[in-house]
Amino acid sequence: MTFESPHIRVKDLNVHIGDHHILKNICLDIPDKKITSFIGPSGCGKTTLLKTFNRLLDRDKEVRVSGEVLLDGEDIYGRQVEVTSMRRKMGLLSQRPFPLPMSIYDNIAYGPRIHGTRKKKELNQSVEYHLRATGLWEEVKDRLNSPATSLSIGQQQRLCLARGLAVEPEIILGDEPTSALDPLSTQRIEELFLQLKDKYTIVLVTHILRQARRVSDYIVFIYMGEIVEFGPTEELLLNPKEKLTREYVKGYIS
Amino acid sequence: MSRYRLIKDRISGNLFLVFTHLSILTVVLIGAGLYGKSVPILKQSSFFHLLFSSEWKPFKNQFGFLTYIVGSLIVTGLAIVIALPLSLLTAIFISEYMPRNLKRLLIPFIDLLSGIPPVVYGVWGVLTIVPFIQDKLAPHFVEFSSGYSALAGGVVLAVMIFPLIISILLEVFNTVPQELRDASFSLGANQWETVSHVVLKKSVPGILAATVLAVSRALGETIAVLMVCGNQALMPHSILDPVYPLPALIANNYGDMLSIPMYDSALMLSALILFVIIFLFNGISRIVLYRLERRSYA
Amino acid sequence: MVLATTIIVGSLVMILWTITVRGIRSLNWDMVSKVPEGGFYIGKGGGLLNAIIGSVYITMGATLLGLLISIPVVLYINIYARKDSWLATVARFTFDVSFGIPSIVYGAFGFTIMVYFGLRASLLAGIITVTLVIIPILARAMDEVIRRTPGELSDATYSLGATRWETSKVFLRQSLPGIMTAILLSSGRAIGDAASVLFTAGYTDSIPASLGQPAATLPLAIFFQLSSPIQEVQDRAYAAALILTVIVLIISLGSKYFSKKLSKNKI
């Protein structure tokens, strides 16, 4: 499937980690302001694919990436690219919430601060705005200065989302962001994603088919480092074209 | 703003890189410096002659290290022979057999003692071990011993490295997953079988590391040994005789021997010998350890 | 096993007991509040304040200098360099090996350098030598802590567009309890180490007023006075040993307390 002006376009992407060929000839368009989910059995390479989008794999000496990842038409692996400002355009939500070792307030203010916002008033506004956007404001407004770790896991994950939003990204990358959460917190995160897709392009890695079905517009099925099928959610789940997809959806491969 | 941040990042990166290289280089520098200072004496007589001769007459320009090397080996050997089995047994006992509340009391105590400086152990040696050997132990075996002896050195060193070995071993045993023990128990193994087949087997690299560290600590320890060993450069006939280990030789003579030609070069050579032995010993064991670790992950 | 444990614990308790009993007998307020007076070394008045202060100076100086060098190195090999890079492996190997090198070797090396530059035994030379001794301790301990920090922390900061420098600062904050423990561990070693300061720091009866002056240290005070034939002087060595032990115990208890207290903001 291709789109006219995708937010992210992946061209012939290959990733090797050591001797292992993790991703093979990936070509993929991520549509703008939609939720796209990556599904597939564990170890299929879906998280690796997600992390190539903001070059989080760069630090590993064993990793070799070839091919292109175009963000609004510009290759993020190009020479001219300044990695920090590129990464800023993508918020990441990891499997476990990981608050920075500081207060709730400072967690949100961290991003704006390093990017040059110094004025107390602007910071206060940003913190309040993003805490409201993630529905945390009412819960934490009286204890903004307590450590972020004093929050529940579900709250921490929303805090991490708010922290990511505070640097005003265009894209949200979610790496199984609800896998550590209870059903209620999971539901809240999913609701947030549905609200946020008006403004953001969202890419979600998940191993829960029902979650992919609940939230995503498109689904990419990845198996053994290759894209097997890519299509609109209902179509792919109810009417898969490929045999592998059908077997996975039915639960034969896991 | 953004450019300023990136410049800061780059400068700090380069600066830190320089620091990293420098800190690696320091060790090379130490080796090179000591070697540079030992060149004069190495030019004068062959290395093997220096190593295996026991003629130590600085005024006649004769420097044979044999007695000192033997002294070091005896003291270190004694310390390890005493400390290793006792510490291993104790660590196993604490880690696998002791009730939790007693453990919680004992482990901090041992940690605490591993921080006590060698000189304090030396004082204890002078106060307790030396008189004990002189009055109680030695009279049974030899006509006379001042108590200041290889045995005293070995015992003081052993006691000094007890806490060190035990705390490393406890940490090592602690990293053996509880699931492994449970698995062993559920197969019907008893406590000792579990310890010997599972815990100890899994801990071989750690035990090796602890031993290496203990040996280097014992071999290089200066002050504590210096205080109780007697420091006489004679070939010892028994462990109740005084010995004169290498570090003690350096410590006792450095600073006031600059007037005698070659003396400082000889002492530097002894520092170099210590350096090389311990470097090789640690280096090889590290490489073995890395290998073992990699194999156990694969 | 019970026997082995009894022997070991027994001997360790015995050490503390002996040092305390013999130390307290000759310990008095003068010991910790006065510098040696005339005839101190033949048993007349005065105290060990010179050695206490000298030891504290050297320990603080060396710890500060050691941190200044080891923190950048640890940050470099964990955050700036690629994961498990060749340089990091070499650096870790170096620290592992130099951790085992005896302090007398550092002392001899320090002395050589001193002579080479025409310096005399001084506070500065002592600090530099002790720094060499404790850098491996600091670096290894901090490396361990930072290495164990989950990768998600750097994923999080990098995703916010942070540079490596900014990420380093977050890591330092995250590892604060571990760093504190490393500092106290190394200062325990620094204050008790005799062999490295034997030739480099010198010995003096006064409190050093500048980095260029020689400085007395507690371990050497113990060592020198113990070898005296005069009973009063020997007794002072026992008292000094007790003082040193107490300082070290306070340091290690402090490290336990701090690492507990500081870990509250940690994950």
Side-chain angles (χ1 to χ4, degrees):
Chain A
M1 249 178 93
T2 50
F3 294 87
E4 205 139 283
S5 57
H7 205 158
I8 301 174
R9 168 166 282 170
V10 183
K11 270 193 195 162
D12 301 320
L13 183 77
N14 278 283
V15 175
H16 294 260
I17 300 182
D19 301 328
H20 303 280
H21 199 171
I22 303 292
L23 290 176
K24 299 164 191 163
N25 303 318
I26 302 289
C27 291
L28 179 66
D29 282 359
I30 305 284
D32 195 16
K33 307 247 178 357
K34 299 280 184 227
I35 299 183
T36 308
S37 292
F38 295 172
I39 59 168
S42 30
C44 70
K46 49 192 195 299
T47 297
T48 307
L49 181 59
L50 190 80
K51 287 190 170 180
T52 55
F53 291 175
N54 66 350
R55 292 185 59 171
L56 271 184
L57 295 176
D58 284 20
R59 281 203 58 238
D60 215 309
K61 124 183 128 157
E62 310 258 273
V63 174
R64 277 170 296 131
V65 180
S66 65
E68 289 178 359
V69 176
L70 305 172
L71 178 66
D72 294 319
E74 194 195 356
D75 183 12
I76 62 163
Y77 285 92
R79 278 230 178 118
Q80 301 298 318
V81 172
E82 202 276 283
V83 183
T84 54
S85 45
M86 180 276 293
R87 283 193 185 128
R88 188 187 167 181
K89 292 181 191 159
M90 312 202 203
L92 176 82
L93 216 49
S94 53
Q95 295 188 6
R96 280 187 304 151
F98 215 96
L100 303 177
M102 38 187 100
S103 69
I104 295 172
Y105 182 97
D106 289 334
N107 256 278
I108 313 284
Y110 180 81
R113 272 194 187 125
I114 61 172
H115 292 294
T117 310
R118 288 272 174 266
K119 283 191 192 121
K120 192 80 188 145
K121 209 174 145 195
E122 284 173 41
L123 287 174
N124 286 344
Q125 277 173 353
S126 169
V127 169
E128 183 175 343
Y129 179 83
H130 292 103
L131 283 175
R132 279 189 194 282
T134 49
L136 265 176
W137 178 252
E138 292 301 324
E139 295 162 44
V140 302
K141 63 178 179 189
D142 299 324
R143 48 175 178 142
L144 288 173
N145 287 319
S146 33
T149 40
S150 64
L151 298 172
S152 74
I153 298 286
Q155 288 173 321
Q156 286 185 22
Q157 191 63 305
R158 279 185 284 149
L159 181 78
C160 290
L161 183 57
R163 179 183 70 194
L165 296 179
V167 294
E168 285 152 16
E170 301 164 3
I171 299 169
I172 299 170
L173 307 174
D175 179 12
E176 303 187 19
T178 60
S179 59
L181 307 185
D182 58 273
L184 216 66
S185 309
T186 302
Q187 198 191 336
R188 300 210 61 168
I189 294 278
E190 287 178 7
E191 283 164 10
L192 279 170
F193 279 149
L194 290 172
Q195 286 165 27
L196 290 168
K197 77 168 175 178
D198 295 341
K199 283 197 238 158
Y200 305 93
T201 301
I202 299 176
V203 187
L204 203 59
V205 167
T206 179
H207 61 275
I208 311 165
L209 278 178
R210 271 169 300 158
Q211 180 172 60
R213 186 167 184 185
R214 282 195 296 265
V215 298
S216 48
D217 301 296
Y218 297 94
I219 291 184
V220 183
F221 173 55
I222 304 174
Y223 187 71
M224 307 273 280
E226 286 176 282
I227 292 182
V228 177
E229 195 168 344
F230 176 26
T233 301
E234 294 297 310
E235 216 178 296
L236 185 133
L237 291 178
L238 300 176
N239 235 335
K241 293 192 188 75
E242 301 289 329
K243 185 164 162 275
L244 267 173
T245 318
R246 205 172 311 135
E247 286 177 351
Y248 181 73
V249 171
K250 282 186 184 160
Y252 295 149
I253 320 170
S254 60
Chain B
M1 182 62 203
S2 166
R3 173 181 278 173
Y4 173 64
R5 290 173 56 219
L6 295 178
I7 290 173
K8 202 147 98 180
D9 189 57
R10 189 156 309 155
I11 292 177
S12 64
N14 289 334
L15 196 70
F16 290 6
L17 179 64
V18 170
F19 272 84
T20 309
H21 279 296
L22 274 182
S23 64
I24 296 172
L25 205 67
T26 309
V27 178
V28 181
L29 259 178
I30 292 177
L34 293 178
Y35 178 74
K37 286 293 249 178
S38 348
V39 164
I41 191 157
L42 286 172
K43 270 192 182 146
Q44 184 192 303
S45 26
S46 87
F47 180 64
F48 286 98
H49 179 73
L50 290 171
L51 225 49
F52 294 112
S53 151
S54 53
E55 291 291 312
W56 182 267
K57 290 174 183 136
F59 291 100
K60 289 188 187 155
N61 226 342
Q62 283 178 324
F63 299 94
F65 285 108
L66 192 62
T67 25
Y68 304 101
I69 294 175
V70 168
S72 272
L73 291 181
I74 291 179
V75 174
T76 307
L78 274 174
I80 298 299
V81 166
I82 300 171
L84 202 60
L86 284 178
S87 306
L88 192 58
L89 287 174
T90 305
I92 294 173
F93 183 67
I94 294 177
S95 149
E96 310 294 320
Y97 290 85
M98 203 173 255
R100 190 172 287 266
N101 48 356
L102 207 57
K103 233 190 215 178
R104 213 178 282 160
L105 200 73
L106 201 55
I107 293 178
F109 174 71
I110 286 176
D111 279 348
L112 221 57
L113 277 160
S114 66
I116 289 186
V119 70
V120 175
Y121 286 93
V123 170
W124 172 73
V126 171
L127 282 172
T128 320
I129 299 298
V130 170
F132 176 78
I133 291 176
Q134 182 185 6
D135 302 335
K136 304 268 162 60
L137 194 65
H140 296 296
F141 300 100
V142 290
E143 274 174 28
F144 172 77
S145 168
S146 64
Y148 291 93
S149 57
L151 183 62
V155 171
V156 168
L157 271 183
V159 175
M160 195 183 95
I161 57 181
F162 281 155
L164 183 82
I165 307 180
I166 294 175
S167 18
I168 300 177
L169 288 180
L170 284 177
E171 199 139 302
V172 171
F173 294 154
N174 211 9
T175 56
V176 177
Q178 188 59 41
E179 287 84 349
L180 271 179
R181 294 191 183 92
D182 293 346
S184 166
F185 285 132
S186 61
L187 290 172
N190 64 25
Q191 181 86 51
W192 175 248
E193 285 161 348
T194 304
V195 168
S196 57
H197 290 119
V198 178
V199 179
L200 286 183
K201 215 174 209 170
K202 270 268 157 195
S203 311
V204 168
I207 295 173
L208 183 68
T211 313
V212 169
L213 202 64
V215 173
S216 6
R217 191 50 70 76
L219 199 60
E221 178 48 42
T222 310
I223 281 291
V225 177
L226 180 61
M227 290 162 85
V228 296
C229 265
N231 305 325
Q232 287 177 27
L234 299 168
M235 207 42 99
H237 298 292
S238 78
I239 53 172
L240 295 170
D241 280 344
V243 288
Y244 206 159
L246 276 176
L249 170 74
I250 307 172
N252 261 346
N253 297 291
Y254 220 85
D256 29 76
M257 43 65 236
L258 288 172
S259 46
I260 309 168
M262 288 294 163
Y263 205 158
D264 75 321
S265 186
L267 291 180
M268 277 303 176
L269 180 63
S270 50
L272 181 68
I273 293 173
L274 271 181
F275 175 83
V276 171
I277 293 176
I278 287 171
F279 189 94
L280 286 180
F281 193 47
N282 278 271
I284 292 168
S285 73
R286 277 292 143 195
I287 292 169
V288 172
L289 274 181
Y290 292 144
R291 288 267 159 81
L292 280 177
E293 266 169 32
R294 201 168 298 164
R295 208 170 47 191
S296 66
Y297 286 134
Chain C
M1 259 185 279
V2 180
L3 183 67
T5 312
T6 318
I7 292 176
I8 288 189
V9 174
S11 58
L12 294 175
V13 170
M14 194 165 115
I15 289 181
L16 285 184
W17 177 251
T18 314
I19 296 296
T20 313
V21 168
R22 291 300 294 258
I24 281 185
R25 216 184 285 166
S26 39
L27 192 65
N28 55 48
W29 186 243
D30 277 3
M31 293 287 290
V32 292
S33 65
K34 283 188 180 159
V35 298
E37 289 165 6
F40 181 70
Y41 297 102
I42 48 169
K44 291 194 180 141
L48 291 165
L49 189 64
N50 58 329
I52 296 175
I53 299 284
S55 272
V56 169
Y57 281 172
I58 286 190
T59 304
M60 289 196 335
T63 307
L64 224 60
L65 200 58
L67 283 174
L68 225 57
I69 296 165
S70 53
I71 286 183
V73 175
V74 169
L75 289 179
Y76 191 85
I77 61 177
N78 280 292
I79 294 171
Y80 284 74
R82 285 179 161 227
K83 243 176 244 166
D84 298 315
S85 68
W86 181 81
L87 184 66
T89 311
V90 174
R92 288 195 178 108
F93 179 79
T94 310
F95 290 133
D96 280 346
V97 171
S98 52
F99 181 67
I101 292 174
S103 44
I104 185 85
V105 173
Y106 288 108
F109 176 72
F111 184 73
T112 318
I113 296 294
M114 237 169 64
V115 172
Y116 185 78
F117 287 107
L119 294 169
R120 60 187 188 123
S122 60
L123 188 55
L124 181 66
I127 287 176
I128 291 174
T129 314
V130 176
T131 306
L132 290 179
V133 176
I134 64 170
I135 280 180
I137 306 176
L138 281 171
R140 276 165 48 108
M142 291 193 295
D143 181 48
E144 191 85 341
V145 176
I146 293 192
R147 235 175 144 185
R148 262 198 236 141
T149 308
E152 279 108 326
L153 186 62
S154 57
D155 282 359
T157 56
Y158 287 138
S159 299
L160 296 170
T163 59
R164 295 172 302 178
W165 169 248
E166 286 150 358
T167 302
S168 301
K169 285 198 283 193
V170 175
F171 266 77
L172 284 183
R173 197 189 291 209
Q174 168 81 12
S175 323
L176 211 55
I179 294 174
M180 207 61 203
T181 315
I183 291 175
L184 291 161
L185 193 72
S186 73
S187 48
R189 176 80 190 270
I191 205 162
D193 199 66
S196 55
V197 290
L198 188 56
F199 325 121
T200 52
Y203 200 88
T204 167
D205 283 353
S206 51
I207 293 167
S210 76
L211 283 173
Q213 287 178 3
T217 45
L218 269 175
L220 291 185
I222 299 169
F223 179 60
F224 291 149
Q225 296 184 64
L226 198 64
S227 51
S228 158
I230 300 160
Q231 190 58 43
E232 284 86 354
V233 181
Q234 274 188 28
D235 285 345
R236 284 205 192 103
Y238 306 140
L242 180 61
I243 295 172
L244 182 58
T245 308
V246 168
I247 294 179
V248 171
L249 290 186
I250 289 174
I251 289 176
S252 32
L253 286 175
S255 82
K256 288 216 169 14
Y257 173 75
F258 268 115
S259 56
K260 265 197 199 122
K261 203 175 170 199
L262 285 171
S263 46
K264 78 169 200 267
N265 231 345
K266 215 179 112 180
I267 296 150

